[in-house]
Amino acid sequence: MSLDSENQAGNMQLDQKIYPPLNHIPADIVRANDYERVAANFIPPDRLAYVDGGSGHNVTLRANVDAFTKYSILPRSLKDLSEAHTQIQLLSQTYSHPIFLAPVAHQKLVHPRAEIATAEAAAATDTCMVASTLSSFSLEDIARNTHSQSWFQLYFQAKEADTHALLQRAIRAGYQAIVLTIDASIQVPSDSALKANFTFPDDMQAANIIHQSSSLTPAAASTNHKSIFLRYMQTAATKERVQKLLSVSTIPVFIKGVMSDEDALLYQSLGAAGMIVSNHGGRTLDGVPACLTVLSQLRNAVGKDYPLLFDSGIRSGADIFKAIALGADAVLIGRLQVYALSVAGALGVAHMMKLLKEELALCMAIAGCASIEDIKHSKLHRNTERQ
């Protein structure tokens, strides 16, 4: 089904179901993660299988979510919360809360206004949005609609000139930081997406790179095992590529997709402004560890003052609290963003962010934390493993 076929009578009823009026929030959405349940009524089954899925058997995807259940928040009393707030500072910039909108590609799969609607929600909720290289609208169009702090997520392109052209466009458009994703040169579809026969519609194009010529060699486009390595290396992060990008960027560069101590220390030594602990929401190699299980280890490796963000598996304000308590300075929200966008466009994403901020504030109040810094000094209860 084409997302641009609303004028076709055969699709009108389905389109109205997928794209409800932007001024309507379903009455049964009372928690941020309710959007995950409700979104199934607004996204066609094959696309839902792609959005919901990770890679392979979804082992890592499930582990990302389940990891949060291993910790509980300890209530504290006799704390003065009269001046409590959720502000954070990253690289001398102040953000009103530590919840960012993660880069999510091809948002037109779930809503015709895609990243433009998401950008409007970011502006309405004073949220930093990270725009994707593979967005349905151009990075310039997105920047014009955020009206707030925004970052740009960058993939290495096969041609260095194309990579650096994207970087310069982002800088000119006013993005405050680059998020260099290094863990997704190759992605493996989930079994559920394959069984649902999901394919990208012919008119689903990445607006930022639509004018690039095909840059994969014939060998890299084939399917034998040697070509897998060739394809990987054409767009993979290498030390040389990262150093070159860091040297030419005039805005801070964060590295997204870090999961090991060794990589963290190497990127830090190369001059990366910060890192994002992420396994791409379980969408790369199935079976890698849940992000939450390596977060404290990476925080210890890079030191307490180095900017360290987190994504993968967050579904609630309590999850955000736990991630910060285990070492994150801020978190990025991916799937919940897409679910909310599918249900009610900009209003849905703004409402989802409102709920997350309220859920986080409630956790802070009960835990006696008057600031995000207080969360970092709080202790979580490690739950006993079920027998």
Side-chain angles (χ1 to χ4, degrees), residues 110-128:
V110 301
H111 195 280
R113 296 187 68 242
E115 295 86 6
I116 300 301
T118 303
E120 291 171 350
T125 56
D126 200 16
T127 297
C128 182

Side-chain angles (χ1 to χ4, degrees), residues 24-327:
H24 172 67
I25 297 292
D28 59 343
I29 293 181
V30 296
R31 296 285 183 268
N33 65 354
D34 285 336
Y35 276 104
E36 182 170 7
R37 168 179 51 81
V38 176
N41 299 319
F42 295 85
I43 306 176
D46 62 328
R47 298 185 186 192
L48 183 64
Y50 172 74
V51 171
D52 274 349
S55 66
H57 300 296
N58 292 328
V59 172
T60 297
L61 185 151
R62 290 192 298 270
N64 281 337
V65 176
D66 292 345
F68 288 94
T69 66
K70 301 181 186 301
Y71 297 93
S72 295
I73 300 169
L74 288 170
R76 296 294 306 277
S77 56
L78 303 179
K79 301 291 185 178
D80 182 6
L81 302 179
S82 58
E83 297 184 7
H85 63 85
T86 60
Q87 286 185 354
I88 64 167
Q89 281 206 320
L90 283 174
L91 304 179
S92 75
Q93 293 290 319
T94 300
Y95 298 84
S96 63
H97 57 83
I99 313 170
F100 291 21
L101 289 169
V104 179
H106 305 298
Q107 293 187 21
K108 222 174 190 181
L109 282 171
V110 301
H111 195 280
R113 296 187 68 242
E115 295 86 6
I116 300 301
T118 303
E120 291 171 350
T125 56
D126 200 16
T127 297
C128 182
M129 175 184 178
V130 186
S132 172
T133 289
L134 301 178
S135 56
S136 302
F137 287 89
S138 73
L139 64 92
E140 291 85 1
D141 286 340
I142 296 168
R144 281 191 286 269
N145 284 274
T146 53
H147 308 303
S148 61
Q149 291 153 318
S150 55
W151 298 1
F152 179 69
Q153 176 269 336
L154 180 65
Y155 288 111
F156 278 119
Q157 304 299 297
K159 296 180 180 178
E160 183 181 275
D162 290 334
T163 302
H164 290 262
L166 283 170
L167 171 65
Q168 295 306 318
R169 284 175 59 191
I171 293 171
R172 288 194 300 270
Y175 289 91
Q176 288 85 38
I178 296 296
V179 172
L180 178 63
T181 297
I182 48 84
D183 67 329
S185 292
I186 293 180
Q187 295 186 45
V188 181
S190 66
D191 291 353
S192 54
L194 292 173
K195 291 174 181 176
N197 295 317
F198 171 78
T199 57
F200 282 99
D202 292 338
D203 62 347
M204 189 66 57
Q205 297 176 312
N208 292 318
I209 58 175
I210 192 172
H211 299 300
Q212 289 184 18
S213 60
S214 178
S215 49
L216 289 178
T217 66
S222 60
T223 56
N224 64 66
H225 74 280
K226 290 183 179 179
S227 70
I228 290 175
F229 296 119
L230 291 173
R231 181 179 178 184
Y232 177 83
M233 287 310 300
Q234 286 202 33
T235 57
T238 65
K239 186 175 181 180
E240 181 183 30
R241 287 171 179 164
V242 172
Q243 285 178 314
K244 182 68 175 291
L245 189 78
L246 291 172
S247 69
V248 299
S249 178
T250 57
I251 58 177
V253 176
F254 284 72
I255 307 296
K256 182 177 186 291
V258 182
M259 290 286 290
S260 75
D261 294 4
E262 294 85 354
D263 283 353
L265 291 172
L266 177 57
Y267 285 119
Q268 189 177 27
S269 70
L270 292 177
M275 291 172 216
I276 302 174
V277 180
S278 170
N279 57 32
H280 219 75
R283 298 185 78 91
T284 53
L285 177 63
D286 198 25
V288 304
C291 280
L292 200 70
T293 64
V294 302
L295 178 55
S296 293
Q297 182 178 328
L298 290 174
R299 168 54 73 194
N300 291 334
V302 299
K304 65 182 182 64
D305 296 324
Y306 187 76
L308 194 65
L309 284 67
F310 174 92
D311 77 13
S312 300
I314 290 176
R315 299 291 187 272
S316 68
D319 292 345
I320 295 168
F321 185 102
K322 294 172 186 178
I324 294 171
L326 292 170

Side-chain angles (χ1 to χ4, degrees), residues 317-345:
D319 292 345
I320 295 168
F321 185 102
K322 294 172 186 178
I324 294 171
L326 292 170
D329 292 306
V331 302
L332 291 85
I333 305 299
R335 280 187 176 85
L336 284 184
Q337 171 192 163
V338 179
Y339 297 140
L341 178 66
S342 74
V343 174

